[in-house]
Amino acid sequence: MPAPRNKNASGREDAAAPRARLAAIRQRAALLAETRAFFGGRGYLEVETPVLARAGVPDAQLAQFALSDPLLGTLYLQTSPEYAMKRLIMAGSGSIFQITKAFRQGESGRFHNPEFTLVEWYGLGYDHRRLIAEACALIAQLVVSLEAPARIVTYREAFQDALDIDPIDAPTDDLRAVARGRLPAAQELALDDRDEILDLLMSHAVAPGFPVEALTVVTDYPSSQAALARLNAQGLADRFEIYRGPLELANGFHEAARAEEYASRFASEAAKRRERALPSIDQDQRLLAALAEGGLPDCAGCALGFDRVLMLAMGATHIDEVLAFPIAQT
């Protein structure tokens, strides 16, 4: 259910008033200040990159807002500042962080708003393990109600514990059978794509079993879900996601470094878009050109959903409770 509206001085609901109460607006300001202090104390440089750019993200799982400008052509509201931040790193910025607005089309609900606040950072010389520790420390500082240390499980272990199936090696038909056997909604879905089946199982059958009193960190994702993470000696992605209960809070990688890797993965996602009849996305040629000059320095990056962290800190049950003006009120 949507969060209740604020009331005016007469005690009646006021549709024009901010949806979030003043306490949430103040808490947002306080946690933003804590976040900046957290990174400042670790030597990170705060940066700012455009939210509107000529290139988009080819990820077939993301829907982007594309705008048409009569002079500049197609422009994209960014789903993440990742590409521009990597260009800054390659220009010598050192470790950097950013607090920014990001945009994803078709995402609205209890934990989603099409416009949201993202904290994204890149630590030079970090691998994903070191970044996991830093991300968990930040979340624990902002959400003081966490009662236990984070537990780290592999993607394979999480599926085996919850569903008694190996998500890496099991045939797609077996995964499809588990989805249809465990999830009533899956009966109406085609379930042709292996990664779509895995995502469905993770969100609806695996993550709901994660404890709410502590963070759960899932590591070692299938190579097909590597995005722009490095692959390890076992052929798995050096990628992690952080959950509190079933709610995903953060996503991070030990970043791939070579231009050839990026071009290959961009091409793979473009092919998926064509197969699914999704709009094509203009690729970031400036990023590819910067990578071709020498590659990305060794680093790991993480994106944290700040609004969701604020929800946990406030004990909120709907994202509208921590947004002054969610999309329904704009």
Side-chain angles (χ1 to χ4, degrees), residues 2-327:
R5 290 195 178 100
N6 276 336
K7 295 181 179 180
N8 59 25
S10 66
R12 291 177 298 192
E13 286 189 353
D14 186 350
R19 178 63 61 89
R21 300 185 187 278
L22 187 57
I25 294 171
R26 287 174 172 155
Q27 183 77 338
R28 175 181 287 271
L31 294 192
L32 287 172
E34 277 197 56
T35 300
R36 288 189 163 94
F38 179 92
F39 287 110
R42 286 163 173 75
Y44 281 80
L45 172 69
E46 183 171 8
V47 299
E48 184 178 86
T49 59
V51 296
L52 189 64
R54 294 177 183 269
V57 175
D59 191 333
Q61 299 296 109
L62 298 179
Q64 295 167 82
F65 289 99
L67 310 176
S68 179
D69 183 273
L71 296 178
L72 301 174
T74 301
L75 300 171
Y76 300 92
L77 287 172
Q78 298 297 285
T79 61
S80 154
E82 175 181 2
Y83 295 170
M85 291 183 77
K86 287 179 175 177
R87 287 169 61 190
L88 286 175
I89 290 171
M90 287 183 280
S93 67
S95 295
I96 54 176
F97 82 100
Q98 180 169 190
I99 301 171
T100 186
K101 291 296 185 181
F103 304 84
R104 294 182 185 177
Q105 191 174 14
E107 297 196 4
S108 183
R110 182 181 173 193
F111 299 118
H112 297 84
N113 193 66
E115 176 186 354
F116 58 98
T117 300
L118 197 65
V119 180
E120 188 152 331
W121 72 99
Y122 294 83
L124 256 65
Y126 280 45
D127 62 11
H128 63 299
R129 299 286 176 179
R130 183 177 174 188
L131 201 65
I132 286 170
E134 189 166 79
C136 289
L138 172 60
I139 296 169
Q141 181 171 322
L142 300 180
V143 185
V144 295
S145 61
L146 293 171
E147 299 173 3
R151 70 182 192 114
I152 299 177
V153 297
T154 66
Y155 191 87
R156 174 179 272 131
E157 290 168 341
F159 271 76
Q160 289 176 330
D161 289 346
L163 301 172
D164 195 27
I165 193 168
D166 187 329
I168 310 300
D169 296 329
T172 301
D173 286 344
D174 290 358
L175 293 169
R176 186 183 297 111
V178 170
R180 290 194 167 136
R182 295 289 294 262
L183 305 172
Q187 307 300 326
E188 308 300 322
L189 303 175
L191 299 182
D192 294 326
D193 183 90
R194 181 182 181 89
D195 285 317
E196 287 184 344
I197 298 170
L198 289 172
D199 287 345
L200 181 68
L201 288 171
M202 172 59 86
S203 60
H204 289 78
V206 178
F210 293 160
V212 297
E213 67 275 7
L215 300 176
T216 296
V217 184
V218 182
T219 65
D220 295 341
Y221 276 68
S223 60
S224 59
Q225 297 187 28
L228 294 175
R230 298 188 184 201
L231 299 183
N232 60 31
Q234 291 73 45
L236 301 175
D238 284 343
R239 171 187 172 187
F240 66 90
E241 289 186 347
I242 302 177
Y243 292 80
R244 194 266 198 171
L247 182 61
E248 181 192 343
L249 300 176
N251 181 33
F253 314 141
H254 190 181
E255 301 289 345
R258 297 183 296 109
E260 295 83 357
E261 294 175 278
Y262 282 72
S264 173
R265 297 187 196 184
F266 284 179
S268 175
E269 290 299 319
K272 289 181 184 178
R273 284 187 163 273
R274 289 192 296 272
E275 291 169 7
R276 301 175 191 178
L278 298 174
S280 62
I281 299 294
D282 294 330
Q283 295 183 7
D284 194 331
Q285 298 301 324
R286 288 182 173 85
L287 173 66
L288 293 173
L291 287 163
E293 289 292 318
L296 184 69
D298 188 32
C299 66
C302 184
L304 174 74
F306 181 81
D307 303 306
R308 293 183 178 185
V309 172
L310 180 56
M311 284 180 65
L312 296 180
M314 295 288 297
T317 59
H318 197 290
I319 196 170
D320 286 8
E321 295 176 59
V322 299
L323 299 176
F325 298 107
I327 194 65

